[in-house]
Amino acid sequence: MRRRDFLILTAGVAGGRPTLSRAQQKAMPVIGYLNSTSPDPNEPFAAAFRQGLSEAGWVVGQNVAIEYRWAEGRLDRLPALAADLVGRKVDVIVTEGGDSTTLAAKSATSTIPVVFHSSSDPVAKRIVATLARPGANLTGSAS
C-alpha cells in the first residue's frame, strides 16, 4: 500500500467512527499520532500525513486535531505515551516508527481504532490475526 493510500485510509477511519449524542461530542475529532522516534527528523513524514488528511478534507485546526506523542527513541516510554492518548479519548491512533509502537497502542486499548504501517510481517509479530481480516481494533498495511 502506498503512503498516500495509507493516509486516506487513516482519514477515513478518523471520520468513520460513530458519533455520540450531541452533548458528548468533541469540538472536532482527535487523531493520536504515536511515534517511537523524534519529531525533527520525522517532520517530512508528519507533514505528508497532514497533507494526506487535507487532501481527504481533514484540515488540522479546522475540522480535526492531532495529538503527537514522540518516544524519542526510548521504546520503554511507548506504553505510557499510548496510555496517555487513550486517556485523552482520541478517536483513532496512528502508529509510526516500528512494530513496538503498534504493540504499545494495541496493549493500551481494545476500543480505539489503531492504524499502522509495518515494514515487517504484522501477522508473525502477532499484531494482527491476518492481513485480510486483522480483527479487533487494528488495521493497517505492510511493505
Side-chain angles (χ1 to χ4, degrees):
M1 178 180 279
R2 296 177 320 179
R3 181 169 285 279
R4 176 183 222 109
D5 295 336
F6 173 71
L7 297 173
I8 291 169
L9 170 69
T10 303
V13 169
R17 190 161 182 206
T19 58
L20 303 173
S21 70
R22 183 156 306 275
Q24 294 176 338
Q25 283 184 348
K26 298 178 190 175
M28 65 180 73
V30 179
I31 298 170
Y33 185 92
L34 182 61
N35 194 308
S36 64
T37 62
S38 303
D40 290 339
N42 286 288
E43 179 50 34
F45 299 111
F49 177 69
R50 291 187 301 273
Q51 178 64 34
L53 288 172
S54 178
E55 290 171 7
W58 296 95
V59 180
V60 175
Q62 290 181 9
N63 61 358
V64 71
I66 301 176
E67 288 277 340
Y68 293 95
R69 297 295 179 272
W70 303 90
E72 308 271 340
R74 294 186 45 213
L75 300 183
D76 60 312
R77 295 182 62 207
L78 288 170
L81 294 172
D84 182 53
L85 290 173
V86 171
R88 292 182 182 274
K89 297 183 178 22
V90 297
D91 295 287
V92 62
I93 298 174
V94 174
T95 65
E96 287 282 344
D99 296 330
S100 297
T101 310
T102 304
L103 289 168
K106 179 180 179 180
S107 294
T109 181
S110 62
T111 57
I112 298 172
V114 176
V115 180
F116 66 89
H117 176 77
S118 179
S119 58
S120 65
D121 182 354
V123 176
K125 297 283 185 168
R126 297 182 186 212
I127 294 171
V128 295
T130 69
L131 289 177
R133 296 193 183 273
N137 59 321
L138 280 86
T139 191
S141 65
S143 59

